[in-house]
Amino acid sequence: MSDVYAEPTTGADPTDPATLARYTTLRLGGPAARLEVATSADDIVRQVREAEAREQAVLLLAGGSNVVIGDQGFPGTVVLIRSRGFRVVAEDADTVTVRVEAGEPWDDLVAATVERGWSGLECLSGIPGSAGATPIQNVGAYGQEVAETIVAVEAYDRTEGRVVRIAAADCGFAYRGSIFKYSDRWVVLSVDFRLTRSPLSGPVRYAELARALGVEAGDRVSLVDARATVRRLRAGKGMVLDAQDPDTWSVGSFFTNPVLEREAYELLRERAADLGEPPSWPCPGDTVKVSAAWLIDKAGFGKGYAGPEGVAISTKHTLALTNQTGTASTAALVALAREIRDGVQTRFGVPLHPEPVLINCTI
């Protein structure tokens, strides 16, 4: 079972059940004005409607693995999403469509699909958080994105006050984004994934994964091998939650990989000429995606780089900013993020943007 809903001791008062640091993988965040628990889709909708009737702001929190909450907390109602389970809603000889409740721990779902011989999510193994968060971020790793398998998202439309089913084509999926991100309108209740009946993975697209598996790009491997190798690679980077490893007390990648116009990419190459070729990948529209980890490292912020109050870059991966002591503040983490962002901008002229959702704080 994945350690998704850790409730650690932190610098905030851990005995206060409303202290949001208890419910985030960063172990940071102040109190909620009101804290509710929702264990079903109907419960989620009810809690949101009741908060609206009280004229309170609403924050939905599931695994807490992709959110940075300010030290002042959240001055409204926080709804902890704890709906669980999945079921088959459609199938044929080649595919199966599963409807997954928003609060289902993501890695538990991936493990279940691999065990059943359903291909499509295996390279997303080891990612913390909940199934309902995956369409919001269009979660992706090691050559797979959830946009490739999502059929539809069931959501509560707060504007119209009704539950709707949104087809994947209407979700606005993009690199680490969707219509759900940075929008208060939609409350994700469940997600439908269409998976392939096969003991083999999809074609291995990611070079690092192919090397680790000892195969060529485009080859297929067993689902079990793909999952185990991805988890091993992620663990080596501190990207699999471990209550004993402070390098995992993070939100994973703090910055997205910049996508640059061709002219901006060529300027980067000029500024980085003394450092070698920046790792990059071609993207649609003659744009280029560049490694944020490389930019951070080459700007002088290496693994283990320390910020104030016990926050630091992970000793395993430069994209992860960590609460190494478990007693830091969000202000300290934000200060480190700001220092890194400004340093990369100064050195390379490339802006970095945060990947997690920032609540009551900013960089």
Side-chain angles (χ1 to χ4, degrees), residues 160-321:
E160 297 189 3
R162 63 190 183 97
V163 174
V164 297
R165 189 166 299 280
I166 305 172
D170 298 320
C171 290
F173 289 128
Y175 172 60
R176 299 300 176 269
S178 68
I179 63 169
F180 311 109
K181 192 171 183 179
Y182 305 125
S183 172
D184 292 332
R185 177 173 180 176
W186 310 104
V187 178
V188 175
L189 303 175
S190 67
V191 187
D192 290 0
F193 297 90
R194 180 178 293 133
L195 307 174
T196 302
R197 295 182 187 272
S198 173
L200 298 179
S201 70
V204 177
R205 303 170 186 162
Y206 202 76
E208 180 188 19
L209 180 57
R211 288 193 299 269
L213 286 163
V215 301
E216 298 295 324
D219 287 349
R220 298 173 185 267
V221 299
S222 78
L223 295 177
V224 172
D225 286 348
R227 172 170 165 76
T229 303
V230 167
R231 283 185 59 87
R232 176 169 58 80
L233 289 172
R234 289 185 61 86
K237 300 173 183 178
M239 298 292 187
V240 176
L241 292 182
D242 181 346
Q244 305 306 314
D245 184 0
D247 274 337
T248 73
W249 303 349
S250 74
V251 290
S253 298
F254 194 92
F255 295 103
T256 57
N257 291 320
V259 178
L260 305 178
E261 298 292 335
R262 177 62 59 175
E263 182 179 359
Y265 174 65
E266 295 302 333
L267 288 174
L268 167 62
R269 293 182 66 199
E270 291 179 14
R271 298 182 74 159
D274 59 324
L275 300 171
E277 193 74 13
S280 62
W281 303 267
C283 291
D286 198 32
T287 59
V288 181
K289 182 166 63 177
V290 179
S291 168
W294 186 91
L295 293 171
I296 291 167
D297 181 63
K298 298 305 181 184
F301 305 99
K303 296 174 184 176
Y305 182 90
E309 295 182 32
V311 299
I313 293 177
S314 166
T315 65
K316 300 179 180 71
H317 200 290
T318 54
L319 269 183
L321 308 189

Side-chain angles (χ1 to χ4, degrees), residues 41 43-61 74-79 81 136 154-166 179-180 182-189 359:
D43 214 14
I44 296 169
V45 173
R46 179 179 60 81
Q47 297 286 7
V48 170
R49 285 174 171 165
E50 289 180 358
E52 290 174 338
R54 293 190 297 268
E55 298 184 344
Q56 282 189 313
V58 179
L59 173 62
L60 305 168
L61 194 60
F74 186 73
T77 294
V78 174
V79 179
I81 307 300
I136 298 171
E154 182 184 52
Y156 174 59
D157 183 344
R158 295 178 63 186
T159 299
E160 297 189 3
R162 63 190 183 97
V163 174
V164 297
R165 189 166 299 280
I166 305 172
I179 63 169
F180 311 109
Y182 305 125
S183 172
D184 292 332
R185 177 173 180 176
W186 310 104
V187 178
V188 175
L189 303 175
I359 303 296

Side-chain angles (χ1 to χ4, degrees), residues 139-155:
V139 164
Y142 294 100
Q144 284 183 340
E145 288 183 338
V146 293
E148 299 167 358
T149 52
I150 288 177
V151 178
V153 175
E154 182 184 52

Side-chain angles (χ1 to χ4, degrees), residues 4 17 25 30 33 35 40 94-95 106 125 129 149 167 169 205 224 232 257 261 286 290 297 318 322 326 329 337 339:
V4 177
T25 56
L35 191 68
S40 68
D94 300 317
T95 67
W106 176 253
S125 293
T149 52
R205 303 170 186 162
V224 172
R232 176 169 58 80
N257 291 320
E261 298 292 335
D286 198 32
V290 179
D297 181 63
T318 54
T322 66
S329 66
E339 181 186 4

